[in-house]
Amino acid sequence: VSYVRGESKGPQMSMGDELIPEASKYRDVEEFKALSFDNILKDLRGVERDTEVTIPIKDVKIKWKDDLDNAEYFAKPDYDPNNAPPVEFTYDLKSKKYILDDGHHRYVSAKRNKKPLKGVIEQINGNMDELETAYQKEKGVSLTDIWNKAKGR
């Protein structure tokens, strides 16, 4: 499904329409917001908790500098994201960065080898107010408008 932005193939949808089936499940807009955080985030950024991702090194932020310093000495010389076990990330809503929680040795190896880093998104940094603001700014439609549309209002 494509957005109404320039030319595209297939059916046309306006911004936020992909959330209408989700919004229609809830009695009011506050319940929609409270219980749909993960679905809204997935629609906005393609980010989903407990999923494996492969991230460019430039999008990784270091949380524990001491762990990074220690990892510099002990990191393996080679890194292959296809064969390495995943690191653990926290996704930060505001910065759009993946914060490295565990796996600093693999991060150093990936960086040295100019490879992306494979990991699992364990947590999300951010709240519904931040997500709602980002959604409206980036998608051009409010969550309230989506819920109203889902309810035929």
Side-chain angles (χ1 to χ4, degrees), residues 2-3 15 43 48 65-66 72-73 75 78 82 84 107-108 129 138 140 142:
S2 60
Y3 296 114
M15 299 303 236
D43 182 56
E48 197 171 4
K65 302 288 185 199
D66 290 345
E72 294 284 344
Y73 296 104
D78 296 334
N82 297 316
Y107 168 82
V108 170
D129 289 338
E138 294 174 32
S142 75

Side-chain angles (χ1 to χ4, degrees), residues 55-65 68 87-102 104 107 117 125:
I55 305 299
I57 288 292
K58 68 177 180 56
D59 292 334
V60 177
K61 186 176 174 182
I62 301 302
K63 182 177 183 179
W64 307 109
K65 302 288 185 199
L68 180 63
V87 301
E88 293 177 8
F89 290 121
T90 294
Y91 180 76
D92 186 70
L93 185 61
K94 285 183 183 178
S95 70
K96 301 180 188 177
K97 295 280 186 184
Y98 296 81
I99 302 167
L100 184 63
D101 287 326
D102 185 47
H104 292 74
Y107 168 82
L117 188 60
N125 261 1

